[in-house]
Amino acid sequence: MLLIACSAVLAGARSFAAIGQWARNAPQGALARLGARTTSVFAVRAAPSPATVRRIINATCPGGLADLLGADPAGSDTLAVDGKSARGSRSGDSPAAHLLAAMTGAETAVTQLRVPDKTNEITCFAALLEPYDLSGVTVTADALHTQRAHAHFLVEQKQAHYAFTVKKNQPILYTQLKTLPWDKATAKFYDRSQGHGRLETRVVQVLTVTALGIDFPHAAQVAKIIRHRTCVKTGRRPRETVYVLTDLTSRQASPERLAKIVRSQWTIENRLRFVRDTAFAEDASKVRTGHGPENMATLRSFAINRLRAAGHANIAAGLREMSYEPFRRPLALLDLT
C-alpha cells in the first residue's frame, strides 16, 4: 500500500482519491511489482480502494514513515530545521497541522514530525533530531530556536554545531549583541546575489565571543549580517540587520563560511516548503483526519528527494515527466522495474 502511495505521488497524485484512482488504473504488471494482493486462482491483482488508501495512510505511524522515507544526515555540512503549517488541514476549531522538518544543505529532506496542538516547535526540536548521528553537522534554525537548551543538546549530546539567529523576540540578548564593538570587527565578508526579482548585498562582520560577556552556551563567535535588498520592479531598498551566534570557532568558520551556513537555512524554505506548496498544492490539501496531513507531507518530501536524486532540478517539471508514463517511470525511480 505504501509503495502504491509513493508511486502515485511521484506521478503527481495530491490526495487519497487521486492515489486510489492511480491504483485503480494501474495495469496488472505494475500492481504485481508493487506487491498488490491477488484475488483469485488466476492471480489477478486487486488495487486498493480510495477508502483503503485513506484508512491506511491515516493510521500509519508518522514517525516510522518519516524515518523510513527520509534520509540520513550523517556527514552533512549543514542541517536546517524549520516549521510549516498545512493550512488546508484546519477543520472547525481544530488548528492546522504544524509540521517541523529538517533538510540538509544538499537539499535532501531528512525527517519531520507534527507539533502537538497547544504546544510549539521549541518542545519538538530535540525529538526531531534525537535519532540521528549529527557529529560535526552544523544545525541552523530561525530565531524561535535560539534556546539555551537547544545549544546544550546539540553540542553536548549530539556533538554537533549550531548557528542560531538572534532577533528582537529575545530583546535582552539582541540588545547585548547590538551594542558590541562592531566598529572593531576586522573579520568581514561581502557577498552579492540576484534572484526572485531582487538584488541583494550582504555584509558579514564577525567577533570572537571571548571577553565580550555573551552568556550563551558554548558560543564562540557572533556575526552581524546586514542585508541590503533592491527590488528590481519597484526600486525599494529595504535593509535588515540580524545577528547569529555559533559555537564554531574562527578556525572552523570564517566570515565567508558563516555567511554560507546562514544562507543554508533558506534551503528548507525555498527547496522544501515552497516546493511542496507549489508543486503539490499542499496548503490547499483538505487531508485533515488521523495522521493524514503529516503522512501525505512525508510522501511529498520523499517524492522530492527521489526526483532530485534522479537529476530533476525543477520538481514540477519532474512530476510532469513522471506523468507521461505514470505506471512505468515512478516504478523505475523506485527501482521496481
Side-chain angles (χ1 to χ4, degrees):
M1 178 61 243
L2 293 176
L3 279 175
I4 288 173
C6 288
S7 301
V9 172
L10 275 168
R14 299 178 176 181
S15 65
F16 297 143
I19 294 172
Q21 185 178 7
W22 183 93
R24 186 173 66 249
N25 287 277
Q28 286 291 300
L31 291 175
R33 290 195 294 277
L34 291 164
R37 65 187 178 89
T38 56
T39 58
S40 70
V41 294
F42 299 106
V44 175
R45 302 281 176 168
S49 68
T52 300
V53 170
R54 180 180 294 104
R55 176 173 55 83
I56 292 179
I57 294 180
N58 276 341
T60 298
C61 170
L65 185 64
D67 289 344
L68 177 66
L69 300 183
D72 185 357
S76 299
D77 183 35
T78 61
L79 183 70
V81 175
D82 196 30
K84 176 186 183 296
S85 291
R87 298 176 186 176
S89 63
R90 183 182 292 105
S91 178
D93 294 333
S94 300
H98 192 79
L99 309 174
L100 186 64
M103 189 178 207
T104 70
E107 302 181 1
T108 302
V110 173
T111 188
Q112 73 171 12
L113 57 77
R114 182 171 180 171
V115 178
D117 296 344
K118 300 182 181 180
T119 62
N120 59 38
E121 295 178 19
I122 296 173
T123 62
C124 299
F125 183 89
L128 180 77
L129 302 179
E130 180 61 43
Y132 300 100
D133 177 8
L134 300 179
S135 300
V137 178
T138 301
V139 177
T140 66
D142 60 24
L144 177 67
H145 293 287
T146 305
Q147 305 290 329
R148 299 175 64 86
H150 292 358
H152 283 299
F153 167 73
L154 290 173
V155 176
E156 297 167 16
Q157 295 186 41
K158 306 303 292 182
Q159 287 73 55
H161 301 290
Y162 66 81
F164 291 155
T165 301
V166 180
K167 293 185 178 180
K168 293 182 180 179
N169 63 318
Q170 298 206 40
I172 296 176
L173 183 58
Y174 181 85
T175 301
Q176 187 179 21
L177 299 184
K178 183 178 179 180
T179 56
L180 291 176
W182 292 108
D183 57 321
K184 297 181 180 179
T186 57
K188 297 182 180 181
F189 173 70
Y190 299 86
D191 184 29
R192 290 183 178 180
S193 63
Q194 180 174 354
H196 303 287
R198 67 191 183 196
L199 303 173
E200 182 168 323
T201 301
R202 288 170 293 276
V203 181
V204 183
Q205 298 173 273
V206 181
L207 290 170
T208 300
V209 167
T210 306
L212 292 179
I214 304 300
D215 183 22
F216 196 83
H218 304 289
Q221 292 191 97
V222 57
K224 177 182 180 180
I225 303 176
I226 304 174
R227 300 181 181 127
H228 301 269
R229 295 190 178 108
T230 302
C231 180
V232 175
K233 182 177 292 187
T234 66
R236 291 183 64 250
R237 302 185 64 183
R239 168 177 162 168
E240 179 188 26
T241 301
V242 298
Y243 300 92
V244 176
L245 277 172
T246 180
D247 69 306
L248 292 164
T249 66
S250 58
R251 289 189 176 185
Q252 294 172 311
S254 64
E256 181 177 0
R257 181 163 185 245
L258 279 177
K260 180 181 178 182
I261 289 170
V262 172
R263 291 195 69 185
S264 71
Q265 178 64 25
W266 301 351
T267 301
I268 194 169
E269 298 177 11
N270 296 331
R271 306 295 283 170
L272 183 65
R273 290 170 47 184
F274 180 76
V275 172
R276 284 206 320 229
D277 190 34
T278 55
F280 293 99
E282 183 167 271
D283 277 347
S285 173
K286 298 302 180 183
V287 175
R288 296 168 175 167
T289 56
H291 298 306
E294 56 264 51
N295 285 341
M296 283 299 294
T298 293
L299 290 171
R300 295 174 191 127
S301 295
F302 174 74
I304 292 169
N305 281 355
R306 283 289 180 164
L307 288 168
R308 285 215 176 100
H312 294 283
N314 185 309
I315 300 303
L319 289 172
R320 288 194 295 273
E321 287 216 10
M322 294 296 107
S323 71
Y324 300 149
E325 294 182 87
F327 305 113
R328 185 185 70 81
R329 292 186 183 183
L331 272 64
L333 212 59
L334 296 176
D335 298 324
L336 294 175
T337 54

